[in-house]
Amino acid sequence: MVSGQSQEQFAALLDPATTVLLTVECQQGVVGPDSALPELARVARSSGALGNIARLVAAAHGGGVQVMHAVAESRPDGRGANRNARLFRAAARLPVQQHTGTTAVRIAPPIEVADEDLVVRRLHGLSPLAGTDVDALLRNLGCRTLVVTGVSANVAIPNAVFDAVNLGYTAVVPSDAIAGVPADYTPAMTRNTLALVATVTTTDAILGRWKAPRRRSGPAATPG
């Protein structure tokens, strides 16, 4: 729980019927042993972020919370991919490519993917939400609260949080379930940026609300 919120308010915010857990770029080619970004992969694992994401996913599966995995990938021929920023040009030269259909774009252990999970793949841009199916799927699911986890705290995570807020969702960020580089950048960015627009909390606080299995109810009203 975060300061300034009662137990009741926090519980309502994380109601399984209106909450979706989003993992961002938790794929083998990003956070796995053969990552294209080995420093980011090391931080994601050594900080405990990847393990905490796995814990949240397992609790969501047991507690009736919808899980969605946002995966960044590319075609071998590069069609449709951005080339309008240094980040994209550098990524195109990496020894490990996030090509569609390869091991690199599979969700990385220890995160488990259940049959009911949704996997949304994008071929362009920086955001898991902008220009993808995520917003439409969230609305059809009756989502009001989006719990954002994954990598990186440098780019994709703030993009996801800002886009979620702009679209009318309440964003929740477990600060120990995101990672970026260098390692000390993530807490500074969380404190000075994400905390202004999202509810920042911890993995254990969320698990405390999802520990008892519950059934999902029908769709709820969606953000306007």
Side-chain angles (χ1 to χ4, degrees):
M1 194 178 72
V2 296
S3 60
Q5 284 187 333
S6 68
Q7 291 282 355
E8 291 76 15
Q9 289 172 324
F10 193 60
L13 186 65
L14 294 170
D15 181 355
T18 56
T19 299
V20 172
L21 173 65
L22 179 70
T23 76
V24 177
E25 297 182 26
C26 292
Q27 55 206 73
Q28 294 195 37
V30 176
V31 296
D34 299 318
S35 170
L37 303 164
E39 182 182 2
L40 177 60
R42 283 194 297 270
V43 172
R45 292 178 177 274
S46 65
S47 67
L50 195 61
N52 284 332
I53 296 166
R55 294 169 64 209
L56 287 165
V57 168
H61 289 158
V65 177
Q66 178 67 53
V67 177
M68 185 179 296
H69 305 280
V71 174
E73 57 184 49
S74 63
R75 289 168 51 111
D77 61 10
R79 288 183 182 271
N82 290 66
R83 296 178 178 82
N84 58 336
R86 188 176 73 176
L87 175 65
F88 300 122
R89 295 190 292 273
R93 297 192 296 268
L94 292 172
V96 177
Q97 292 293 305
Q98 315 298 319
H99 286 163
T100 300
T102 66
T103 300
V105 297
R106 295 177 184 170
I107 302 301
I111 299 169
E112 295 186 356
V113 181
D115 290 341
E116 64 268 24
D117 291 2
L118 296 171
V119 180
V120 180
R121 305 179 183 277
R122 77 177 196 274
L123 293 172
H124 62 87
L126 300 170
S127 173
L129 276 73
T132 74
D133 291 335
V134 169
D135 180 39
L137 293 172
L138 293 177
R139 291 178 187 277
N140 289 344
L141 291 164
C143 176
R144 297 194 67 84
T145 299
L146 186 65
V147 179
V148 180
T149 67
V151 298
S152 74
N154 305 75
V155 179
I157 295 300
N159 265 268
V161 171
F162 292 148
D163 285 345
V165 172
N166 286 333
L167 290 166
Y169 302 100
T170 297
V172 173
V173 179
S175 60
D176 54 357
I178 62 172
V181 291
D184 59 0
Y185 174 75
T186 300
M189 187 278 300
T190 301
R191 181 174 61 253
N192 295 299
T193 302
L194 297 185
L196 301 177
V197 294
T199 295
V200 176
T201 184
T202 65
T203 295
D204 284 343
I206 295 175
L207 293 178
R209 306 313 315 175
W210 291 350
K211 60 184 178 181
R214 286 167 287 190
R215 295 177 62 86
R216 289 180 60 87
S217 61
T222 55

